[in-house]
Amino acid sequence: MQVIKVGGALGPMLSNVCNDIHTLVGRGETLVVVHGGSLDTNELADQLGQPIRYLTAPSGMRSRYTDPATLDVLTMAMLGRVKARIVAQLVRLGVRAVGLSGLDAALVTAEKTPAVKAVVDDRLRVVRDDMTGRVTALNKDLLDLLLTAGYVPVISPPVLDPQVGPLNTDADRLAALVARTLGAESLILLSNVPGLLRDPSDPGSLVPTIPGDDIDHYLGLAQGRMRVKLLAAYEALTGGVPRVVLGDGRIDGPISAALAGLGTTLVANMPQEEIIR
């Protein structure tokens, strides 16, 4: 069983992923799909006149500032645009896809991020209304039921804090939770880059392999969202997932290519002779 995370920046290139899912399911693979929706969220926010804002934590990590109005936009984009597009394409190809958010049957529960000092709009302030959270648990029984019946779950935020309500969460780390809870053979994180690059402007500077116990060594190379992907990879590996691949979702057959080793592969307890720095 493989868990596939589809990056929100892939947009029109989602057809490559859907076609490959169809191929793999036809070969008997069991798949779970997790998706983001950054591109569509930004586009919808612009259309609705809702400015997208970001907060920068003291650690330097930059993330979307999800105030209640932005959470509404994100929910509409995730469920009404991205998920609908993926599920429709898969069903048209003959895949028995089922769209789910973390809210459905409390599929994914989370804890709201506490108030934190962060820079917002160039000002340091205490942010209390950021409606984001860290995932804590997965309703495995629901997914087992769907997978046993031959369905392909397509999962995304929002997720549920039982005390607060819907929350945004990072889709890469959500995918890591799904992979480790289901005991996946691999977690494939697809985005609009070939993998981890030593030089972001040079696709030829790809880091092909990273030992799972040495991710800290490579965090300094990662920029922007790639840092979060490495953290998600670490969470998956330490949770028992044998392999994580940071793959290129723009190419034909992106999942098959990642499973064949194209991209940046992270493996727990990688033999020293396989490490290429």
Side-chain angles (χ1 to χ4, degrees), residues 50-71:
Q50 174 67 31
I52 292 294
R53 302 158 71 197
Y54 295 89
L55 56 82
T56 304
S59 65
M61 191 73 74
R62 187 170 181 261
S63 60
R64 186 189 302 276
Y65 176 24
T66 310
D67 60 12
T70 300
L71 179 62

Side-chain angles (χ1 to χ4, degrees), residues 42-221:
N42 290 348
E43 289 179 351
L44 182 58
D46 183 63
Q47 292 166 5
L48 296 174
Q50 174 67 31
I52 292 294
R53 302 158 71 197
Y54 295 89
L55 56 82
T56 304
S59 65
M61 191 73 74
R62 187 170 181 261
S63 60
R64 186 189 302 276
Y65 176 24
T66 310
D67 60 12
T70 300
L71 179 62
D72 285 345
V73 174
L74 180 140
T75 301
M76 288 187 283
M78 289 283 192
L79 308 188
R81 291 194 175 187
V82 186
K83 190 183 308 299
R85 191 181 304 136
I86 294 173
V87 171
Q89 285 192 44
L90 290 175
V91 170
R92 192 162 57 245
L93 291 167
V95 177
R96 302 174 72 195
V98 177
L100 298 165
S101 77
L103 304 177
D104 295 303
L107 177 62
V108 185
T109 50
E111 292 181 356
K112 185 179 180 299
T113 303
V116 62
K117 285 186 177 180
V119 175
V120 180
D121 300 331
D122 297 321
R123 288 195 309 116
L124 181 64
R125 50 171 287 198
V126 177
V127 178
R128 294 185 173 86
D129 65 343
D130 184 32
M131 303 301 290
T132 63
R134 177 166 293 188
V135 292
T136 56
L138 179 76
N139 183 343
K140 183 176 181 292
D141 290 344
L142 175 58
L143 293 186
D144 284 342
L145 184 67
L146 292 170
L147 293 170
T148 300
Y151 291 97
V152 175
V154 180
I155 305 166
S156 76
V159 296
L160 180 68
D161 182 324
Q163 306 302 318
V164 177
L167 296 176
N168 184 23
T169 197
D170 179 76
D172 290 304
R173 300 177 90 164
L174 168 56
L177 171 70
V178 174
R180 64 179 189 259
T181 303
L182 294 181
E185 299 169 35
S186 303
L187 168 61
I188 310 297
L189 302 175
L190 297 176
S191 64
N192 61 345
V193 295
L196 176 62
L197 303 176
R198 295 184 183 278
D199 178 356
S201 64
D202 178 12
S205 66
L206 178 73
V207 177
T209 54
I210 297 176
D213 59 356
D214 199 19
I215 287 179
D216 284 346
H217 177 82
Y218 294 87
L219 277 173
L221 294 176

